[in-house]
Every structure is written in C-alpha cells, then in structure tokens.
Amino acid sequence: MNAHATTKVESLLPWANKAFRDNPYPWYDVVRSKAPVYKDPLVENTFVISRYDDIVKYGKHPSLTMKAPDWVPKSPWSLFKDSIIVRDPPEHTDLRRRSNKWFTPKLANQWAEATAKAVNSAIDGLGPQGMIEAFRNLALIPAHHAMCSALGLPTEGYDTASAWMHDAMTGLGSAVTAEEEQRCQAAFDYLSDRVRYYLAMRRASPEPGMTASWIEEVANGEMTEQQLFEGLLLFWATGTPNAAYLITGGLEIFARHPDVFELWKTSPDKHQAIMNEITRLHTPEISFTRFTTEELEIRGVKIPPKMLVRFMIASANRDPEVFKDPHKVDVTRSAEAGNHLSFGVGAHSCPGMIISLAEANAVFNTIAKRVKRIEMAGEPVYAHNDRSAAYARLPLRLVV
Ligand code: HEM
C-alpha cells in the first residue's frame, strides 16, 4: 500500500530504523513539537499528524476516505475489496451492523468466559516455580478462545495464524521493504486458506455463532460471498493479536508495578482507571491512515487531494498537552486517560474494542483471584514494527 522508502533523506520519523521501531517515543516528541503536520520526505504523497487534538478533530473528518486513489501501488492488503476497512459510510454502516450485534457488552462477557477458562487451565498447569510464557498462554490463546466462541469455530492452530498476522501488519507500515511485502503476501495466502477451510467446515456442519449466521445471510441474499470471506478474515485473523498485545502490556505493568496489581485485586472501582492507563501506554495499533478527497487544511498546512494522511495515535496517547508526565504509569489520572485514542476515532474505530476489554478483564480478574504476586522472569521479547507495538514473549513467574 505504501511506496518503499529511500534511505538518504533526513527525516523526523526514520520508519525503518531499528532503534526507532523499538522505541519511537523520543522521535514522536520531536515531530509533535517541530512539525505536527509533517510532509514525510521518505514516503510518497504522505502527511503525518501527531498531536492529540488534531487527530481527534481531523481523524474523523467527513472528507477523508478509506478508498485508495490510483497512485497507491497494489499490496497484499488489496485483497480487501468489500468490507468495513475499505468502505465509507453509508455502505460501511450497513456492514458494521452485521458484526456489531455479535459483540455487544453482554455477549462479549459471555464469549470471555472462554478466556477465563483458558487462563484457569494455564494456572492449573503451572510448575513448582510458577514460570509461564505470558504472551501466548495468558493472552493470545485465551483471547482467541473468546473470539472462537463468538464465531462458532474450533480453537486450534492460532499460534501460527498470529505469527503470520504479525507479518501482515508490517505490510501496513510506512517503510515496507520488498521482503516484508513478500512475507505479508505469504501471510494472507495462509490466512485466507484457513478462512476458506472454516467456511467449508461450517457449511458442512453449522454450529451457533457469527460464521454460520453469516453463511445463512449469504444464502438469503443479504450479504455477498466476498463480504463473508473478508469479514471472517478480519474477525478470525486480524484483531486478536492486538487484544493479546494489550493484555500482555497489562501483565507487564502488573509485574513491574506490584502496587498496581494489588490495586486491581483490592479495588474493583479502580479497574476502569487501570485499564485506561494500560491501554493508553500500550497502543497496539500505532497509526491509522486515510486519503484526502479534497484539500484539507490543518494548522495552516494545506494537504492536497489524493494524499495519504497517517494519524499517529501512539504519539497522541503520549501528548504532554493532554497527559501530564505522559510516559509514566499513573492510575490516578482516570478521567483524562479514559480519553486515550488506542481504539481509533470515528466511524472506523475498532469494532473489537468491547470484546478486547472483556477478554482483558477476564484475564486480569482470573489471575487476581488465584495469584498472590506476578514477577518478571526475564526480559520481554518485543516484536515492534512501525505499525504495531507487539510482543513475541513475556516471561513471568506467577506466585500462587
Ligand atoms: C478482538 C480483537 C479485535 C478485532 C476483531 C479488531 C478488528 C478491527 C477491525 C475489523 C477494524 C476496522 C474497523 C472499520 O474499518 O470499521 C479495526 C479498527 C481498529 N482497531 Fe481493532 N480489533 C481488535 C482489537 C483491537 C485492539 C485491542 C486495539 C487497540 C487497543 C485495536 C485498535 C484498532 C484501531 C486503532 C482501529 C482503527 C483503524 C482505522 O481507523 O483505520 N483493535 N479493528
């Protein structure tokens, strides 16, 4: 989707640089103050917006579109042709309704019972030292079980899908190399094949859930086969790793700040504030993009039509104009931290928000009931790129 970056130009946002990918926040601090509406010299036709207020105001501007103009090269993500991520209202609204009804707060809590069960069985299986790889066993797999309850699908095989999904997300970044693009394509080849396998399975043996229900909607002429395929790909494959990164971020905070874990255990009225702070600091989706359809002026900078605008929500979440001491874990900032932008803004904001938060609550509550203390048992292995803040492993020790 994005032009490959060249390397010789000076840039405030060196997308491909490893130090930048590992910890982009010092660069965000500079770009926010020096060039809040930044014409990216490394990437064709691209402007980057990094201040909180601008993202809230312009991220949902009605003149912006999800539809890529002609200059945008085809990418593996171009397989999405008729789903919520490429449609604007009103078609978007109609498609969103079809998934939203499966993720109401009541249903999300019901799906998240599968998360609690998976966490309980991980704790049952602890060795005498309580060592656990928390990303996979307390976040990814438990979150996936909730999603499979909603979809009415079997739970096996998600480790592989999530690893591929990580490569697929890299393909949405700003400095995608040819090799990264190839891996993104391989990821979608694999994930698409699994989705077709599950569709065939639920056609042959329907079970309650969103998949079988959508198959029926296709049979009734209410949805197309393409919408069914893309919709299932989005919900089965793409979202859960983000939920897992968020949950893992919370567990790392609990391990590094025992007082915050203690507060979660003793004060249910503080859960919302703690969850907000975790979600603000661990912004799994670093940015979102739109295209201009007409000139758009932000802070005196005129962005011409057909430009790509990248909204840096991870930067907004650490904007000192909104969050005092933005890099600090501070669970007393409840009211303001509730306004983080981690789930996006406007019509395309995340439809997985409710189930992700239900899953995170289920993980934290289950652990809080059974675990006295959470300790770091080694350094985390992060797998960030310039689009996702990701974990590969989080070694913890649970003291039961
Ligand atoms: C079960 C887990 C999840 C699923 C199934 C999911 C799915 C999706 C989908 C399908 C969209 C596109 C919505 C649209 O265009 O209308 C989306 C957008 C988004 N999601 Fe999620 N997501 C999940 C979890 C998360 C989490 C945990 C975060 C971050 C905390 C997140 C952040 C976002 C953001 C920022 C957007 C907006 C992108 C944009 O405006 O272009 N998602 N999500």
Side-chain angles (χ1 to χ4, degrees), residues 22 45 78 87 228 247 269 356:
D22 287 349
N45 297 338
S78 311
R87 291 285 181 217
L228 166 67
I247 294 166
D269 60 314
S356 298

Side-chain angles (χ1 to χ4, degrees), residues 207-392:
E207 277 190 20
M210 193 169 94
T211 312
S213 163
W214 278 6
I215 288 173
E216 243 181 81
E217 289 178 30
V218 172
N220 297 338
E222 296 163 40
M223 247 176 124
T224 67
E225 188 67 37
Q226 182 69 16
Q227 288 169 341
L228 166 67
F229 165 73
E230 290 182 29
L232 192 59
L233 185 57
L234 283 174
F235 281 86
W236 177 77
T238 70
T240 295
N242 279 336
Y245 302 148
L246 173 67
I247 294 166
T248 312
L251 295 172
E252 188 181 342
I253 286 183
F254 287 157
R256 294 192 190 276
H257 302 268
D259 53 315
V260 178
F261 183 49
E262 207 43 45
L263 198 64
W264 184 281
K265 288 170 87 154
T266 54
S267 312
D269 60 314
K270 297 283 190 292
H271 284 186
Q272 183 77 50
I274 297 171
M275 191 70 90
N276 286 342
E277 187 66 346
I278 290 169
T279 315
R280 180 183 75 81
L281 288 163
H282 285 271
T283 310
E285 292 232 9
I286 290 172
S287 63
F288 66 85
T289 57
R290 299 287 184 271
F291 299 97
T292 49
T293 57
E294 54 188 50
E295 186 179 271
L296 180 66
E297 184 171 333
I298 308 180
R299 285 183 192 272
V301 179
K302 292 188 164 105
I303 305 178
K306 300 194 176 181
M307 295 290 112
L308 187 146
V309 186
R310 188 172 286 278
F311 292 94
M312 302 299 300
I313 48 183
S315 162
N317 280 346
R318 308 269 184 118
D319 187 335
E321 297 281 318
V322 181
F323 306 105
K324 189 169 162 272
D325 280 337
H327 305 297
K328 192 175 151 199
V329 179
D330 176 2
V331 297
T332 65
R333 62 169 108 231
S334 57
E336 44 168 9
N339 297 330
H340 65 73
L341 305 184
S342 291
F343 290 105
V345 296
H348 287 276
S349 65
C350 181
M353 178 183 79
I354 295 172
I355 190 169
S356 298
L357 294 176
E359 290 162 359
N361 271 306
V363 173
F364 300 160
N365 286 336
T366 309
I367 294 177
K369 260 191 227 140
R370 298 189 56 187
V371 171
K372 287 196 197 91
R373 241 179 19 256
I374 304 178
E375 294 172 359
M376 298 299 290
E379 279 309 300
V381 181
Y382 301 108
H384 306 327
N385 50 54
D386 75 84
R387 185 57 168 63
S388 300
Y391 282 88

